[in-house]
């Protein structure tokens, strides 16, 4: 009798798991279909309003002068032997100083860290990377090439190529997600972790599934699962959607901080208008659902989490919940009036808070190899 009950319990547990998995993927594909319908309606409306310009966009041939500003650092390249990929990065500060490595988000590139490159080069070897699929770094064609394990290994390989065995790691948005994962998998390589507007991946998964409001704000995760169509929607009307992402009143930079200049915006258009650039950026999203939940969660490094109060994409409640997964000092700063694009929107405040965090505890000398 006991054996029968045991087998029945195992069967019910497996059935419950299968139902949960089925419900999970049904939610994803159902929401993808809904987002597709909405996008098709937007496309049709655009065609009605702008029949001659909807399908026109321009590939920028010449980089704007701000991308060659020598005060930001030196443009460098590294080819990683294991993956065969070439990565572009901008570096400043003396070689041999502690390494501060910056990882950008979507849809950005190294330039999003321009204010921090200038600020921290006095004390650190600062390096802002174009992550795989972005900017001047190589763009793998396969969606599978953007799985979490490959993105995390990229960071490890770059740190080691630069001649370091540890770093102060700074990430925003998708770069923040990869920074969390790197700190989880290689705790010995992260002296301090600084994340901007990006929750711990497990916090995001748990919270989004329980809060429809966050699921709605994350609708782009589902829409971007589609092949090719998201690239089209981001390109029409000469990348109007991308421009609005950075400049609109609801989502853009500068609602209570620094405005994005016309030249700054053109820098983004130059990077994102190149052939294949949007596909590389969107491929990060196209692997996210198969990579969650995580098998490991705990972060052993000291963590600074900076959060823009007016983030249009991430609800603030997730920030405090990150504390559950951190087994070291955790500092959370909510910046009033700041947008999702925190390091560009409020660079002076962000830089001051980072300096304060770096001076805590071990002090700056702890970053040296």
């Amino acid at each position: 009798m006991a054996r029968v009950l045991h087998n029945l319990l195992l069967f019910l547990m497996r059935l419950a798991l299968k139902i949960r998995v089925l419900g999970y993927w049904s939610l994803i594909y159902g929401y993808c279909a809904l987002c597709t319908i909405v996008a098709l309606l937007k496309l049709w409306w655009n065609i009605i309003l702008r029949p001659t310009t909807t399908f026109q966009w321009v590939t920028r041939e010449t980089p704007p002068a701000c991308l060659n500003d020598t005060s930001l650092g030196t443009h460098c390249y590294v080819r990683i032997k294991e993956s065969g990929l070439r990565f572009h990065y901008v570096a400043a500060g003396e070689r041999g100083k502690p390494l501060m490595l910056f990882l950008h988000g979507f849809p950005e590139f190294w330039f999003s860290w321009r204010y921090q490159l200038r600020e921290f080069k006095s004390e650190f070897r600062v390096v802002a990377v174009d992550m795989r699929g972005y900017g001047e770094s190589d763009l793998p064609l396969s969606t599978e090439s953007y799985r979490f394990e490959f993105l995390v290994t990229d960071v490890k390989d770059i740190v080691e190529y630069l001649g370091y065995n540890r770093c102060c790691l700074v990430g925003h948005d998708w770069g923040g997600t990869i920074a969390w994962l790197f700190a989880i998998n290689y705790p010995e390589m992260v002296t301090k972790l600084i994340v901007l507007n990006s929750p711990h991946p497990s916090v995001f998964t748990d919270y989004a599934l329980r809060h429809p409001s966050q699921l709605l704000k994350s609708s782009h995760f589902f829409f971007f699962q589609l092949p090719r169509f998201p690239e089209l929607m981001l390109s029409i009307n000469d990348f109007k959607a991308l421009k609005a992402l950075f400049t609109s009143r609801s989502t853009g930079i500068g609602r209570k901080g620094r405005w994005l200049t016309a030249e700054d915006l053109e820098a983004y258009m130059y990077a994102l208008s190149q052939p294949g650039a949007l596909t590389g950026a969107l491929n990060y999203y196209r692997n996210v659902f198969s990579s969650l939940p995580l098998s490991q969660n705990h972060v052993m490094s000291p963590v600074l989490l900076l959060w823009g109060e007016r983030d249009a994409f991430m609800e603030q409640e997730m920030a405090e919940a990150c504390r559950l997964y951190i087994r070291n000092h955790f500092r959370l700063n909510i910046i009033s009036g700041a947008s999702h694009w925190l390091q560009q929107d409020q660079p002076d405040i962000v830089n001051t808070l980072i300096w304060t965090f770096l001076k805590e505890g071990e002090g700056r000398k702890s970053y040296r190899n």
Side-chain angles (χ1 to χ4, degrees):
M1 187 58 148
R3 185 178 181 84
V4 172
L5 290 174
H6 176 72
N7 289 337
L8 179 61
L9 181 61
L10 286 177
F11 171 77
L12 292 174
M13 290 174 63
R14 289 169 183 163
L15 180 62
L17 179 61
K18 289 180 180 179
I19 292 173
R20 286 181 63 186
V21 171
L22 179 63
Y24 175 74
W25 287 107
S26 297
L27 172 65
I28 291 171
Y29 287 118
Y31 207 180
C32 284
L34 178 61
C35 293
T36 303
I37 293 170
V38 172
L40 284 169
L41 291 173
K42 288 182 178 179
L43 178 60
W44 181 247
W45 186 245
N46 265 282
I47 293 172
I48 293 173
L49 293 179
R50 306 176 188 87
T52 60
T53 61
T54 295
F55 296 104
Q56 293 181 6
W57 56 85
V58 178
T59 299
R60 275 60 172 176
E61 301 292 343
T62 305
C66 60
L67 294 183
N68 294 313
D69 184 347
T70 56
S71 72
L72 297 176
T74 304
H75 291 259
C76 308
Y77 300 86
V78 52
R79 185 169 296 279
I80 302 300
K81 183 177 180 181
E82 288 75 10
S83 66
L85 297 180
R86 189 185 78 154
F87 289 89
H88 167 256
Y89 63 93
V90 174
E94 293 180 22
R95 296 178 185 272
K97 283 191 173 184
L99 175 62
M100 181 179 282
L101 184 65
F102 296 95
L103 308 178
H104 64 80
F106 171 89
E108 300 174 289
F109 63 121
W110 71 266
F111 186 66
S112 68
W113 298 109
R114 56 197 177 279
Y115 297 112
Q116 289 67 45
L117 288 170
R118 291 192 184 102
E119 177 71 21
F120 295 100
K121 66 182 180 181
S122 61
E123 294 285 340
F124 291 86
R125 177 65 172 172
V126 290
V127 174
V129 181
D130 278 341
M131 298 172 69
R132 71 163 63 192
Y134 279 95
E136 295 183 52
S137 292
D138 280 351
L139 195 164
L141 297 177
S142 169
T143 304
E144 288 295 309
S145 298
Y146 296 83
R147 292 183 61 85
F148 281 171
E149 58 263 35
F150 298 129
L151 302 174
V152 169
T153 301
D154 287 345
V155 179
K156 178 177 180 291
D157 290 340
I158 289 169
V159 171
E160 292 177 343
Y161 170 84
L162 293 171
Y164 292 83
N165 53 38
R166 54 182 180 165
C167 68
C168 173
L169 188 59
V170 189
H172 168 251
D173 187 79
W174 259 106
T177 299
I178 304 308
W180 282 113
L181 295 170
F182 185 77
I184 291 168
N185 288 280
Y186 297 100
E188 73 284 356
M189 296 187 71
V190 181
T191 52
K192 288 195 174 183
L193 176 64
I194 301 170
V195 179
L196 289 74
N197 281 81
S198 180
H200 186 290
S202 294
V203 169
F204 176 76
T205 304
D206 295 342
Y207 187 90
L209 290 175
R210 296 176 183 176
H211 295 81
S213 56
Q214 179 57 56
L215 210 57
L216 184 62
K217 290 181 178 181
S218 302
S219 59
H220 58 288
F221 275 71
F222 300 88
F223 176 56
F224 290 166
Q225 302 304 308
L226 301 172
R228 299 185 181 180
F229 188 43
E231 284 92 329
L232 172 65
M233 291 301 295
L234 292 175
S235 300
I236 60 174
N237 296 311
D238 197 30
F239 307 101
K240 181 180 178 181
L242 289 174
K243 293 174 183 175
L245 195 62
F246 290 116
T247 61
S248 72
R249 294 185 64 182
S250 59
T251 65
I253 298 169
R255 286 174 294 177
K256 195 182 174 183
R258 300 196 185 188
W259 294 98
L260 199 69
T261 68
E263 188 179 38
D264 292 339
L265 182 60
E266 193 58 24
Y268 281 102
M269 294 304 102
Y270 170 77
L272 294 167
S273 68
Q274 301 307 310
L278 288 175
T279 298
L282 292 171
N283 278 342
Y284 281 69
Y285 291 92
R286 289 166 177 158
N287 275 295
V288 66
F289 294 117
S290 60
S291 300
L292 295 170
L294 303 180
S295 58
Q296 301 180 64
N297 288 293
H298 294 142
V299 177
M300 308 308 294
S301 310
V303 177
L304 170 64
L305 179 57
L306 301 178
W307 202 276
E309 180 192 32
R310 298 186 64 185
D311 190 321
F313 309 103
M314 297 287 177
E315 294 190 353
Q316 187 175 311
E317 288 75 12
M318 288 189 288
E320 181 60 38
C322 294
R323 189 184 302 273
L324 296 171
Y325 297 102
I326 297 165
R327 297 295 180 263
N328 206 313
H329 173 60
F330 175 60
R331 174 184 286 273
L332 169 64
N333 290 107
I334 309 293
I335 301 180
S336 175
S339 71
H340 177 75
W341 320 99
L342 197 53
Q343 75 273 27
Q344 302 178 74
D345 192 9
Q346 301 274 4
D348 295 336
I349 295 175
V350 166
N351 292 346
T352 298
L353 291 172
I354 291 176
W355 275 126
T356 301
F357 177 67
L358 294 175
K359 293 174 182 177
E360 291 176 346
E362 300 175 30
R364 295 183 193 174
K365 289 183 179 180
S366 65
Y367 295 90
R368 297 189 182 277
N369 285 317

